Amino acid sequence: MHPSPVAAALLGLEGLAGVVAGLGFAIAALVGHPSDRGVAVALGALLVVYGVGILLVGRGVWRARRWARTPAYLIQFFGLVIAWYQRGTLVGVTVGVGVVAVAAIAALTLAQRHEPPA
């Protein structure tokens, strides 16, 4: 697998967004008044863990590790699913997530096309 700096950067962006969103949820749950503080903190922690996982996959793509290819594609697939099902409620998020996912898929596929056959 050849390194794909564009795909790695997009995965880094997605991972960073997950970590920031998770920290935001956790902080808001701790200082605000959510209906269920435990669930809100757990959601924040889950998003942080998910974001760190995406960052690790992005690092694997940057280093051209073969194991990183499948999780990188799966992350984009789930991003497209989220974008599709949120299209009626969160239009700005939908467009952003969808565009990043499609761009990452294109970058991953182009990097894979330049590999010598196994």
Side-chain angles (χ1 to χ4, degrees):
M1 178 173 167
H2 282 94
S4 176
V6 173
L10 291 170
L11 284 160
L13 177 68
E14 291 171 325
L16 184 62
V19 170
V20 169
L23 291 174
F25 271 100
I27 291 169
L30 294 173
V31 299
H33 302 288
S35 61
D36 189 344
R37 187 177 314 269
V39 170
V41 171
L43 174 63
L46 182 64
L47 283 170
V48 169
V49 169
Y50 182 68
V52 169
I54 294 173
L55 288 170
L56 291 172
V57 171
R59 182 175 179 230
V61 169
W62 177 261
R63 292 183 169 190
R65 304 288 193 245
R66 291 186 72 81
W67 65 264
R69 184 182 302 162
T70 299
Y73 277 112
L74 284 172
I75 291 164
Q76 305 321 312
F77 169 76
F78 289 124
L80 289 173
V81 169
I82 289 168
W84 178 259
Y85 284 105
Q86 293 300 318
R87 70 189 184 277
T89 57
L90 301 169
V91 177
V93 172
T94 297
V95 171
V97 169
V99 166
V100 170
V102 169
I105 289 169
L108 288 164
T109 303
L110 287 174
Q112 187 176 347
R113 288 187 61 201
H114 295 292
E115 281 186 24

